[in-house]
Amino acid sequence: MRLRPVFVTGLAAVLLLSGCSAPPEPEPEPTASPSVSSTPTTAPVVDPEAAFDVTCGDVEAEMTALVGESEEPVQERLSLAEAPGWYPGPAQYMFQRPGGIACSTGGIDAAGWEITIIPGARLAIDGLVEHGYTDNLTSCDGGRCHVMAREGDVLVSGSIRGSSLSAADAAGVDTAMLRLAGLASESQREVEFFDSELAGTTCLQLLRPEELSQAWGVHAELQIGLEFGGWGVPAHIYQIIDEAPLCYYSSAAGDYEADPYLTITGLPGGAWAFDLIEGRAPVEVPGADAAMSGTDDMLPQGRAYLDLLVGSDWIRLTTYEEGEGSRDLTAIAPQIVEYLSKGRPAPQ
């Protein structure tokens, strides 16, 4: 089975595909309250187990046969090439939580590829169809291939970038991706999700707009109900399967011209990946097991961010300001730590 996205146009498409984009639409906030007795897990930090025996080494072998050996090392995470602004950090490891893998290579301007493999293909496809996807074969054209292949309950998806790629390459790419899906399907097994206090939490439980307004001296609103473009496998995995938070605060809800202030993202049970990010400095945040500050690569001078480790969960706060002079993220971090360590109800 193959799926084709219904492409968005205009400003929504620009926002979705650009590195500085605002995140896709958060789900409406429920009013259910977490247990006030919840506490962070103290289980040992271990890497998640894939639900099959296929590895990034196997993916690299197929890609080398298709497009040649990469000049850059393969990363076991999603690429930031042409990624939306909510990808850096926790979201790059979203596929590992449900027992999948993500493999990528190549920089923003270089040829490269990104291939993901996940179990639970039926649920993923149902979610994609609900958001406007239709059946279609893997396609190649104009230096790019879009990949979608299914075998049993395993779904392979991703993209390949290279100046020589054309429609004539589609059949070979499709065969290789089906081969990977078949190998994964043959070795598929059940895996367990890591425990998490973050999974399923609402943005209003993590940080209320009025708390951000008070801390930063601005008028902040939480974006709900905006369509920032289409849907895809990563968005489905992140928001539906992982139940990870995607919170975007700006000066006015529902306005594309509003000033962006803050994004909150996370990886439930993501303690295993917290230390994989380089170039950060330790920060003191009361109640957090660890806190690290850094700058991402999504603006010319980068956006300031703060990574929090609370129990088994990894949370990232990201500003939309460049370089020095960014607002103080440590002023709002304690509220998030409080929720994850003690729990608090969403406003009624």
Side-chain angles (χ1 to χ4, degrees):
M1 183 173 188
R2 311 292 183 270
L3 301 174
R4 177 182 60 192
V6 174
F7 293 103
V8 293
T9 59
L11 180 59
V14 173
L15 286 172
L16 173 69
L17 297 175
S18 69
C20 304
S21 69
E25 172 188 359
E27 295 293 324
E29 304 294 344
T31 58
S33 302
S35 169
V36 295
S37 62
S38 58
T39 55
T41 179
T42 57
V45 176
V46 294
D47 291 353
E49 179 187 5
F52 36 72
D53 294 336
V54 176
T55 67
C56 285
D58 299 313
V59 175
E60 182 180 14
E62 291 286 359
M63 298 307 302
T64 299
L66 287 171
V67 296
E69 187 172 352
S70 174
E71 297 180 357
E72 300 185 22
V74 175
Q75 302 288 332
E76 295 187 9
R77 62 188 182 192
L78 294 177
S79 170
L80 293 182
E82 302 178 352
W86 55 275
Y87 263 32
Q92 289 181 269
Y93 301 90
M94 69 174 83
F95 280 82
Q96 284 89 329
R97 177 166 170 77
I101 62 174
C103 316
S104 65
T105 187
I108 294 178
D109 299 321
W113 46 265
E114 175 182 275
I115 301 296
T116 63
I117 309 177
I118 55 167
R122 178 57 181 264
L123 290 176
I125 289 172
D126 287 347
L128 293 169
V129 170
E130 181 181 346
H131 286 83
Y133 279 59
T134 57
D135 293 351
N136 190 50
L137 294 174
T138 291
S139 61
C140 298
D141 189 35
R144 182 182 301 274
C145 292
H146 296 283
V147 173
M148 188 77 73
R150 176 187 177 185
E151 184 66 37
D153 201 34
V154 170
L155 184 67
V156 177
S157 63
S159 62
I160 309 171
R161 308 182 310 280
S163 59
S164 64
L165 291 171
S166 68
D169 296 298
V173 170
D174 196 47
T175 298
M177 297 303 102
L178 283 170
R179 187 160 46 240
L180 286 172
L183 290 173
S185 181
E186 291 172 2
S187 60
Q188 189 174 354
R189 55 186 172 268
E190 294 291 330
V191 295
E192 294 184 5
F193 277 34
F194 287 172
D195 290 337
S196 169
E197 298 295 335
L198 183 63
T201 60
T202 72
C203 296
L204 291 178
Q205 288 169 311
L206 292 173
L207 181 68
R208 298 165 189 165
E210 56 268 26
E211 292 173 322
L212 180 61
S213 298
Q214 182 178 4
W216 283 2
V218 297
H219 174 74
E221 295 190 26
L222 177 63
Q223 292 281 27
I224 297 176
L226 274 182
E227 294 275 351
F228 279 100
W231 194 257
V233 175
H236 177 83
I237 294 299
Y238 184 85
Q239 292 192 274
I240 306 302
I241 304 301
D242 287 355
E243 297 184 279
L246 185 51
C247 312
Y248 173 60
Y249 302 81
S250 66
S251 59
D255 184 356
Y256 282 103
E257 302 301 323
D259 294 329
Y261 292 140
L262 175 75
T263 298
I264 301 177
T265 57
L267 183 63
W272 66 273
F274 183 83
D275 290 329
L276 298 180
I277 305 299
E278 299 178 348
R280 302 176 302 181
V283 177
E284 286 293 330
V285 173
D289 294 300
M292 306 288 287
S293 65
T295 304
D296 67 23
D297 298 322
M298 300 304 280
L299 291 176
Q301 297 182 33
R303 303 176 306 180
Y305 67 79
L306 176 65
D307 282 339
L308 301 172
L309 179 63
V310 183
S312 68
D313 298 315
W314 174 15
I315 307 96
R316 174 169 288 195
L317 315 180
T318 303
T319 70
Y320 279 77
E321 298 175 306
E322 299 183 55
E324 297 182 4
S326 299
R327 293 184 175 91
D328 183 12
L329 290 168
T330 61
I332 55 176
Q335 287 93 320
I336 295 166
V337 174
E338 176 192 3
Y339 168 74
L340 293 173
S341 58
K342 298 180 181 179
R344 64 174 178 171
Q348 300 298 313

